Amino acid sequence: EYTYLQYHSYITIPFVEDASIENAIHCLAVMLYYNRPPEAITDRMKRLTPVAMRMEVKEGINNCLIINDSYNSDINSLTIALDFQNRRAAAKGMRRTLILSDIYQTGLPPASLYRKVADIILHKGIERLIGIGPVISDNAYLFNLEKEFYPTTESFLAQLDPADFHNELILIKGAREFHFELISETLELKQHETILEINLDAIVHNYNLFKSKLRPETKIICMVKAFGYGAGSYELAKTLQDRGADFLAVAVADEGAELRKAGITMPILVMNPEMSSFRTLFSYYLEPEIYSFELLRAIIAEGEKLGLAGYPVHIKIDSGMHRLGFEEKDMEQVVEILNDQTVVIARSVFSHFAGSDEKRFDDYSHRQIETFSRCADYLQQHSKHKILRHILNTAGILRFPEYQMDMVRLGIGLYGVSPIDTPCGLETVSALKTTILQIKTLSAGETIGYGRKGVLSRDSRIAAIPIGYADGLDRHLGNGKGCVVVNGKRAAIVGNICMDVCMIDVTDIDCKPGDRVEIFGEQLPVTEIAEKLDTIPYEILTSVSTRVKRIYYRE
Ligand SMILES: *Cc1c(COP(=O)(O)O)cnc(C)c1O
């Protein structure tokens, strides 16, 4: 909202970081100065894009986390990166370290530039500074914190002792000429070369895509159960919280507690609360799904002991899935119990489809909607406050948007997988990648791996890659059933998949040890692997073992 001379108007900007907001205000000021009409301003502000940058978060040595931002090194992107670091540090209670090179292209005299930088990093709570470059070193006296300076990246690396870094959130930010990737390589933890890459921008894209299919007032519950469908719940939760998502949903109370400890403040629903988890629910203000009388009575009793009032719960209706939930015949008694106490209130009422992704079940889905609506109406009629209702999952949003009601529950779509055949413009979020360890040239007739299952029918080049069934690579993909992608080409998996390693046929592919291999991702969609294994993409995504390092990045 802004006022300028005679205008009073509103703008919406697609950012959350302080630095981007400040940039946007500059844009606004320029347009006002040039007397652009308010409608044009509103329209153009919506279309601003953030300063290009790529930040990667990686696990580092000695319990450190490394944020790598080597795209550019101006003051503005430094502020954005510091904000990003701050949000992470606050969540994890870690010490904040900045490794910073000389900053180019500011047009300011060095003393004023580094005075400004010193101000910013002090203000953003940096506790330790490592300055690299002749100019920043000359201005060392301006910085008032724990500090070290080196003239070049090489001189820093030459004296670097990994033991000097502990439990720190290290932001590495340097102009390209400084080759700070050498520093991040040294500080990164490398035990296992298989990684799951998660594109946080793709999550945002997918979230916005679904949002655009819904009425503006419809709320979205983002499903981050099962460790964010394998992608890591904290990073996703943080990203979605920043985008203004309304609710998160996890499977069990402990998952929710972890998110709260990490600084997630938005409402969190717990889908499968256990009787033993009420204290955890209450202490972290997690909102349980209530699916049975037993659970309803127990939570009221437990809440009463603690003197709680108006604690939000979500009433689950079984409209045809026949998993958990109250049935239509139970509603009268549910209302009786709810109206006879003040400990909990129904914040929402919801149900889940058994087959919303399949046309042949559309009649059944419609009957589910009818049953659910009758239950929800009954509950609402007997309540003094508004109760939100929701039934759509991802497939539901795509296929029955007219039943979006007050809220929807977005799961698999957020992770870039469409549950229906028609493409809908989703972006791939997760890519499972590894690297070639060794390549052997072998003659026709030789066998590969355990049980001598992989028999070579021609002279072949066989590569070993460090991923096996213990990483979540389904053993049924062995013996030619599955493949991976090397330098843009598909390579069949040869022989049985081992626990930590498997072998692939790269006879027709130009490649060498160290080359990247995609197990799934943009070039080999999870849907394709799921089909081969006669399962669903959900299982492929959630099977990636927790020992596989997750790497998050934003463009
Ligand atoms: C997992 C889940 C969803 C999300 O389903 P998707 O098919 O992934 O969109 C929605 N509602 C409930 C109750 C769930 O358990």
PDB file of all heavy atoms in Angstrom, residues 106-134:
ATOM      1  N   THR A 106      31.042  -1.535  -7.917  1.00  0.00           N
ATOM      2  CA  THR A 106      30.049  -0.794  -7.137  1.00  0.00           C
ATOM      3  C   THR A 106      30.134   0.686  -7.431  1.00  0.00           C
ATOM      4  O   THR A 106      29.196   1.422  -7.169  1.00  0.00           O
ATOM      5  CB  THR A 106      30.265  -0.964  -5.629  1.00  0.00           C
ATOM      6  OG1 THR A 106      31.563  -0.449  -5.327  1.00  0.00           O
ATOM      7  CG2 THR A 106      30.142  -2.390  -5.213  1.00  0.00           C
ATOM      8  N   GLY A 107      31.264   1.133  -7.964  1.00  0.00           N
ATOM      9  CA  GLY A 107      31.418   2.555  -8.220  1.00  0.00           C
ATOM     10  C   GLY A 107      31.716   3.365  -6.952  1.00  0.00           C
ATOM     11  O   GLY A 107      31.913   4.569  -7.019  1.00  0.00           O
ATOM     12  N   LEU A 108      31.750   2.709  -5.799  1.00  0.00           N
ATOM     13  CA  LEU A 108      32.034   3.441  -4.556  1.00  0.00           C
ATOM     14  C   LEU A 108      33.536   3.388  -4.262  1.00  0.00           C
ATOM     15  O   LEU A 108      34.197   2.408  -4.580  1.00  0.00           O
ATOM     16  CB  LEU A 108      31.325   2.771  -3.379  1.00  0.00           C
ATOM     17  CG  LEU A 108      29.809   2.854  -3.310  1.00  0.00           C
ATOM     18  CD1 LEU A 108      29.299   1.988  -2.150  1.00  0.00           C
ATOM     19  CD2 LEU A 108      29.380   4.299  -3.113  1.00  0.00           C
ATOM     20  N   PRO A 109      34.079   4.399  -3.613  1.00  0.00           N
ATOM     21  CA  PRO A 109      35.478   4.310  -3.174  1.00  0.00           C
ATOM     22  C   PRO A 109      35.579   3.181  -2.124  1.00  0.00           C
ATOM     23  O   PRO A 109      34.646   3.013  -1.329  1.00  0.00           O
ATOM     24  CB  PRO A 109      35.772   5.669  -2.537  1.00  0.00           C
ATOM     25  CG  PRO A 109      34.507   6.438  -2.560  1.00  0.00           C
ATOM     26  CD  PRO A 109      33.446   5.674  -3.256  1.00  0.00           C
ATOM     27  N   PRO A 110      36.703   2.418  -2.131  1.00  0.00           N
ATOM     28  CA  PRO A 110      36.807   1.245  -1.264  1.00  0.00           C
ATOM     29  C   PRO A 110      36.437   1.520   0.190  1.00  0.00           C
ATOM     30  O   PRO A 110      35.705   0.732   0.789  1.00  0.00           O
ATOM     31  CB  PRO A 110      38.269   0.836  -1.379  1.00  0.00           C
ATOM     32  CG  PRO A 110      38.705   1.367  -2.701  1.00  0.00           C
ATOM     33  CD  PRO A 110      37.886   2.586  -2.983  1.00  0.00           C
ATOM     34  N   ALA A 111      36.894   2.643   0.755  1.00  0.00           N
ATOM     35  CA  ALA A 111      36.617   2.855   2.184  1.00  0.00           C
ATOM     36  C   ALA A 111      35.115   2.960   2.434  1.00  0.00           C
ATOM     37  O   ALA A 111      34.603   2.366   3.387  1.00  0.00           O
ATOM     38  CB  ALA A 111      37.344   4.086   2.694  1.00  0.00           C
ATOM     39  N   SER A 112      34.376   3.661   1.574  1.00  0.00           N
ATOM     40  CA  SER A 112      32.923   3.761   1.825  1.00  0.00           C
ATOM     41  C   SER A 112      32.258   2.429   1.551  1.00  0.00           C
ATOM     42  O   SER A 112      31.333   2.032   2.266  1.00  0.00           O
ATOM     43  CB  SER A 112      32.229   4.821   0.968  1.00  0.00           C
ATOM     44  OG  SER A 112      33.120   5.566   0.228  1.00  0.00           O
ATOM     45  N   LEU A 113      32.723   1.726   0.497  1.00  0.00           N
ATOM     46  CA  LEU A 113      32.127   0.426   0.188  1.00  0.00           C
ATOM     47  C   LEU A 113      32.258  -0.522   1.373  1.00  0.00           C
ATOM     48  O   LEU A 113      31.277  -1.097   1.841  1.00  0.00           O
ATOM     49  CB  LEU A 113      32.810  -0.171  -1.049  1.00  0.00           C
ATOM     50  CG  LEU A 113      32.483  -1.643  -1.329  1.00  0.00           C
ATOM     51  CD1 LEU A 113      31.004  -1.815  -1.631  1.00  0.00           C
ATOM     52  CD2 LEU A 113      33.309  -2.154  -2.511  1.00  0.00           C
ATOM     53  N   TYR A 114      33.489  -0.662   1.905  1.00  0.00           N
ATOM     54  CA  TYR A 114      33.674  -1.662   2.961  1.00  0.00           C
ATOM     55  C   TYR A 114      33.120  -1.189   4.305  1.00  0.00           C
ATOM     56  O   TYR A 114      32.781  -2.013   5.148  1.00  0.00           O
ATOM     57  CB  TYR A 114      35.142  -2.128   3.024  1.00  0.00           C
ATOM     58  CG  TYR A 114      35.456  -2.945   1.784  1.00  0.00           C
ATOM     59  CD1 TYR A 114      36.150  -2.386   0.708  1.00  0.00           C
ATOM     60  CD2 TYR A 114      34.972  -4.244   1.663  1.00  0.00           C
ATOM     61  CE1 TYR A 114      36.373  -3.118  -0.453  1.00  0.00           C
ATOM     62  CE2 TYR A 114      35.182  -4.971   0.506  1.00  0.00           C
ATOM     63  CZ  TYR A 114      35.886  -4.410  -0.552  1.00  0.00           C
ATOM     64  OH  TYR A 114      36.085  -5.140  -1.690  1.00  0.00           O
ATOM     65  N   ARG A 115      32.963   0.133   4.462  1.00  0.00           N
ATOM     66  CA  ARG A 115      32.289   0.616   5.673  1.00  0.00           C
ATOM     67  C   ARG A 115      30.833   0.149   5.607  1.00  0.00           C
ATOM     68  O   ARG A 115      30.267  -0.324   6.582  1.00  0.00           O
ATOM     69  CB  ARG A 115      32.377   2.135   5.762  1.00  0.00           C
ATOM     70  CG  ARG A 115      31.805   2.681   7.068  1.00  0.00           C
ATOM     71  CD  ARG A 115      32.276   4.095   7.385  1.00  0.00           C
ATOM     72  NE  ARG A 115      33.704   4.172   7.675  1.00  0.00           N
ATOM     73  CZ  ARG A 115      34.589   4.898   6.988  1.00  0.00           C
ATOM     74  NH1 ARG A 115      34.196   5.641   5.968  1.00  0.00           N
ATOM     75  NH2 ARG A 115      35.865   4.909   7.330  1.00  0.00           N
ATOM     76  N   LYS A 116      30.262   0.261   4.406  1.00  0.00           N
ATOM     77  CA  LYS A 116      28.876  -0.159   4.214  1.00  0.00           C
ATOM     78  C   LYS A 116      28.738  -1.680   4.430  1.00  0.00           C
ATOM     79  O   LYS A 116      27.816  -2.143   5.112  1.00  0.00           O
ATOM     80  CB  LYS A 116      28.470   0.208   2.779  1.00  0.00           C
ATOM     81  CG  LYS A 116      26.991   0.272   2.564  1.00  0.00           C
ATOM     82  CD  LYS A 116      26.659   1.011   1.265  1.00  0.00           C
ATOM     83  CE  LYS A 116      25.238   0.678   0.852  1.00  0.00           C
ATOM     84  NZ  LYS A 116      24.912   1.144  -0.477  1.00  0.00           N
ATOM     85  N   VAL A 117      29.704  -2.429   3.858  1.00  0.00           N
ATOM     86  CA  VAL A 117      29.671  -3.886   4.018  1.00  0.00           C
ATOM     87  C   VAL A 117      29.795  -4.251   5.500  1.00  0.00           C
ATOM     88  O   VAL A 117      29.057  -5.102   6.007  1.00  0.00           O
ATOM     89  CB  VAL A 117      30.811  -4.552   3.206  1.00  0.00           C
ATOM     90  CG1 VAL A 117      30.907  -6.038   3.527  1.00  0.00           C
ATOM     91  CG2 VAL A 117      30.588  -4.347   1.715  1.00  0.00           C
ATOM     92  N   ALA A 118      30.699  -3.558   6.194  1.00  0.00           N
ATOM     93  CA  ALA A 118      30.906  -3.841   7.615  1.00  0.00           C
ATOM     94  C   ALA A 118      29.611  -3.616   8.391  1.00  0.00           C
ATOM     95  O   ALA A 118      29.246  -4.405   9.269  1.00  0.00           O
ATOM     96  CB  ALA A 118      32.020  -2.962   8.169  1.00  0.00           C
ATOM     97  N   ASP A 119      28.914  -2.551   8.020  1.00  0.00           N
ATOM     98  CA  ASP A 119      27.634  -2.223   8.647  1.00  0.00           C
ATOM     99  C   ASP A 119      26.601  -3.317   8.430  1.00  0.00           C
ATOM    100  O   ASP A 119      25.932  -3.754   9.363  1.00  0.00           O
ATOM    101  CB  ASP A 119      27.083  -0.982   7.938  1.00  0.00           C
ATOM    102  CG  ASP A 119      27.014   0.176   8.873  1.00  0.00           C
ATOM    103  OD1 ASP A 119      27.785   0.158   9.849  1.00  0.00           O
ATOM    104  OD2 ASP A 119      26.203   1.086   8.605  1.00  0.00           O
ATOM    105  N   ILE A 120      26.509  -3.716   7.154  1.00  0.00           N
ATOM    106  CA  ILE A 120      25.501  -4.728   6.806  1.00  0.00           C
ATOM    107  C   ILE A 120      25.768  -6.030   7.553  1.00  0.00           C
ATOM    108  O   ILE A 120      24.862  -6.604   8.150  1.00  0.00           O
ATOM    109  CB  ILE A 120      25.494  -5.006   5.283  1.00  0.00           C
ATOM    110  CG1 ILE A 120      25.034  -3.759   4.530  1.00  0.00           C
ATOM    111  CG2 ILE A 120      24.605  -6.189   4.937  1.00  0.00           C
ATOM    112  CD1 ILE A 120      25.164  -3.853   3.029  1.00  0.00           C
ATOM    113  N   ILE A 121      27.015  -6.485   7.547  1.00  0.00           N
ATOM    114  CA  ILE A 121      27.246  -7.809   8.138  1.00  0.00           C
ATOM    115  C   ILE A 121      27.118  -7.778   9.658  1.00  0.00           C
ATOM    116  O   ILE A 121      26.719  -8.751  10.274  1.00  0.00           O
ATOM    117  CB  ILE A 121      28.572  -8.473   7.672  1.00  0.00           C
ATOM    118  CG1 ILE A 121      29.787  -7.735   8.172  1.00  0.00           C
ATOM    119  CG2 ILE A 121      28.629  -8.578   6.167  1.00  0.00           C
ATOM    120  CD1 ILE A 121      31.065  -8.392   7.717  1.00  0.00           C
ATOM    121  N   LEU A 122      27.390  -6.626  10.233  1.00  0.00           N
ATOM    122  CA  LEU A 122      27.191  -6.484  11.672  1.00  0.00           C
ATOM    123  C   LEU A 122      25.698  -6.569  11.975  1.00  0.00           C
ATOM    124  O   LEU A 122      25.239  -7.306  12.840  1.00  0.00           O
ATOM    125  CB  LEU A 122      27.757  -5.141  12.124  1.00  0.00           C
ATOM    126  CG  LEU A 122      28.122  -5.044  13.598  1.00  0.00           C
ATOM    127  CD1 LEU A 122      29.291  -5.963  13.906  1.00  0.00           C
ATOM    128  CD2 LEU A 122      28.469  -3.595  13.967  1.00  0.00           C
ATOM    129  N   HIS A 123      24.954  -5.816  11.185  1.00  0.00           N
ATOM    130  CA  HIS A 123      23.509  -5.754  11.337  1.00  0.00           C
ATOM    131  C   HIS A 123      22.866  -7.131  11.114  1.00  0.00           C
ATOM    132  O   HIS A 123      21.878  -7.473  11.757  1.00  0.00           O
ATOM    133  CB  HIS A 123      23.003  -4.734  10.319  1.00  0.00           C
ATOM    134  CG  HIS A 123      21.520  -4.570  10.312  1.00  0.00           C
ATOM    135  ND1 HIS A 123      20.839  -4.010  11.354  1.00  0.00           N
ATOM    136  CD2 HIS A 123      20.598  -4.898   9.376  1.00  0.00           C
ATOM    137  CE1 HIS A 123      19.553  -4.002  11.065  1.00  0.00           C
ATOM    138  NE2 HIS A 123      19.381  -4.544   9.872  1.00  0.00           N
ATOM    139  N   LYS A 124      23.426  -7.926  10.207  1.00  0.00           N
ATOM    140  CA  LYS A 124      22.848  -9.248   9.904  1.00  0.00           C
ATOM    141  C   LYS A 124      23.385 -10.339  10.840  1.00  0.00           C
ATOM    142  O   LYS A 124      23.127 -11.518  10.612  1.00  0.00           O
ATOM    143  CB  LYS A 124      23.126  -9.645   8.456  1.00  0.00           C
ATOM    144  CG  LYS A 124      22.524  -8.713   7.427  1.00  0.00           C
ATOM    145  CD  LYS A 124      21.011  -8.823   7.342  1.00  0.00           C
ATOM    146  CE  LYS A 124      20.469  -7.876   6.283  1.00  0.00           C
ATOM    147  NZ  LYS A 124      18.998  -7.797   6.295  1.00  0.00           N
ATOM    148  N   GLY A 125      24.177  -9.955  11.809  1.00  0.00           N
ATOM    149  CA  GLY A 125      24.538 -10.922  12.849  1.00  0.00           C
ATOM    150  C   GLY A 125      25.688 -11.866  12.509  1.00  0.00           C
ATOM    151  O   GLY A 125      25.834 -12.914  13.131  1.00  0.00           O
ATOM    152  N   ILE A 126      26.528 -11.499  11.539  1.00  0.00           N
ATOM    153  CA  ILE A 126      27.694 -12.334  11.242  1.00  0.00           C
ATOM    154  C   ILE A 126      28.655 -12.267  12.428  1.00  0.00           C
ATOM    155  O   ILE A 126      28.904 -11.200  12.985  1.00  0.00           O
ATOM    156  CB  ILE A 126      28.398 -11.828   9.957  1.00  0.00           C
ATOM    157  CG1 ILE A 126      27.516 -12.090   8.743  1.00  0.00           C
ATOM    158  CG2 ILE A 126      29.770 -12.447   9.771  1.00  0.00           C
ATOM    159  CD1 ILE A 126      27.320 -13.552   8.419  1.00  0.00           C
ATOM    160  N   GLU A 127      29.178 -13.475  12.816  1.00  0.00           N
ATOM    161  CA  GLU A 127      30.060 -13.488  13.977  1.00  0.00           C
ATOM    162  C   GLU A 127      31.531 -13.636  13.606  1.00  0.00           C
ATOM    163  O   GLU A 127      32.413 -13.332  14.387  1.00  0.00           O
ATOM    164  CB  GLU A 127      29.637 -14.629  14.915  1.00  0.00           C
ATOM    165  CG  GLU A 127      28.322 -14.313  15.620  1.00  0.00           C
ATOM    166  CD  GLU A 127      27.476 -15.535  15.885  1.00  0.00           C
ATOM    167  OE1 GLU A 127      26.732 -15.985  14.986  1.00  0.00           O
ATOM    168  OE2 GLU A 127      27.558 -16.056  17.010  1.00  0.00           O
ATOM    169  N   ARG A 128      31.777 -14.176  12.403  1.00  0.00           N
ATOM    170  CA  ARG A 128      33.163 -14.406  12.008  1.00  0.00           C
ATOM    171  C   ARG A 128      33.296 -14.096  10.525  1.00  0.00           C
ATOM    172  O   ARG A 128      32.484 -14.560   9.723  1.00  0.00           O
ATOM    173  CB  ARG A 128      33.491 -15.880  12.264  1.00  0.00           C
ATOM    174  CG  ARG A 128      34.858 -16.308  11.794  1.00  0.00           C
ATOM    175  CD  ARG A 128      35.025 -17.808  12.021  1.00  0.00           C
ATOM    176  NE  ARG A 128      36.363 -18.247  11.676  1.00  0.00           N
ATOM    177  CZ  ARG A 128      36.722 -19.527  11.578  1.00  0.00           C
ATOM    178  NH1 ARG A 128      35.833 -20.485  11.808  1.00  0.00           N
ATOM    179  NH2 ARG A 128      37.945 -19.850  11.250  1.00  0.00           N
ATOM    180  N   LEU A 129      34.325 -13.295  10.202  1.00  0.00           N
ATOM    181  CA  LEU A 129      34.526 -12.902   8.799  1.00  0.00           C
ATOM    182  C   LEU A 129      35.886 -13.372   8.315  1.00  0.00           C
ATOM    183  O   LEU A 129      36.893 -13.204   8.998  1.00  0.00           O
ATOM    184  CB  LEU A 129      34.450 -11.375   8.678  1.00  0.00           C
ATOM    185  CG  LEU A 129      34.854 -10.808   7.307  1.00  0.00           C
ATOM    186  CD1 LEU A 129      33.811 -11.144   6.240  1.00  0.00           C
ATOM    187  CD2 LEU A 129      35.052  -9.292   7.378  1.00  0.00           C
ATOM    188  N   ILE A 130      35.881 -13.999   7.123  1.00  0.00           N
ATOM    189  CA  ILE A 130      37.143 -14.305   6.464  1.00  0.00           C
ATOM    190  C   ILE A 130      37.133 -13.526   5.159  1.00  0.00           C
ATOM    191  O   ILE A 130      36.311 -13.798   4.278  1.00  0.00           O
ATOM    192  CB  ILE A 130      37.279 -15.827   6.222  1.00  0.00           C
ATOM    193  CG1 ILE A 130      37.267 -16.536   7.589  1.00  0.00           C
ATOM    194  CG2 ILE A 130      38.540 -16.140   5.422  1.00  0.00           C
ATOM    195  CD1 ILE A 130      37.157 -18.032   7.510  1.00  0.00           C
ATOM    196  N   GLY A 131      37.980 -12.516   5.072  1.00  0.00           N
ATOM    197  CA  GLY A 131      38.004 -11.666   3.879  1.00  0.00           C
ATOM    198  C   GLY A 131      39.128 -12.116   2.967  1.00  0.00           C
ATOM    199  O   GLY A 131      40.240 -12.365   3.427  1.00  0.00           O
ATOM    200  N   ILE A 132      38.822 -12.240   1.678  1.00  0.00           N
ATOM    201  CA  ILE A 132      39.842 -12.692   0.745  1.00  0.00           C
ATOM    202  C   ILE A 132      39.943 -11.717  -0.422  1.00  0.00           C
ATOM    203  O   ILE A 132      38.942 -11.437  -1.094  1.00  0.00           O
ATOM    204  CB  ILE A 132      39.549 -14.121   0.248  1.00  0.00           C
ATOM    205  CG1 ILE A 132      39.560 -15.076   1.454  1.00  0.00           C
ATOM    206  CG2 ILE A 132      40.550 -14.544  -0.823  1.00  0.00           C
ATOM    207  CD1 ILE A 132      39.246 -16.512   1.130  1.00  0.00           C
ATOM    208  N   GLY A 133      41.166 -11.193  -0.649  1.00  0.00           N
ATOM    209  CA  GLY A 133      41.376 -10.239  -1.734  1.00  0.00           C
ATOM    210  C   GLY A 133      42.169  -9.062  -1.210  1.00  0.00           C
ATOM    211  O   GLY A 133      42.108  -8.756  -0.016  1.00  0.00           O
ATOM    212  N   PRO A 134      42.921  -8.407  -2.092  1.00  0.00           N
ATOM    213  CA  PRO A 134      43.779  -7.307  -1.651  1.00  0.00           C
ATOM    214  C   PRO A 134      42.991  -6.113  -1.101  1.00  0.00           C
ATOM    215  O   PRO A 134      43.403  -5.504  -0.112  1.00  0.00           O
ATOM    216  CB  PRO A 134      44.548  -6.921  -2.916  1.00  0.00           C
ATOM    217  CG  PRO A 134      43.833  -7.564  -4.062  1.00  0.00           C
ATOM    218  CD  PRO A 134      43.090  -8.740  -3.510  1.00  0.00           C
TER     219      PRO A 134
END
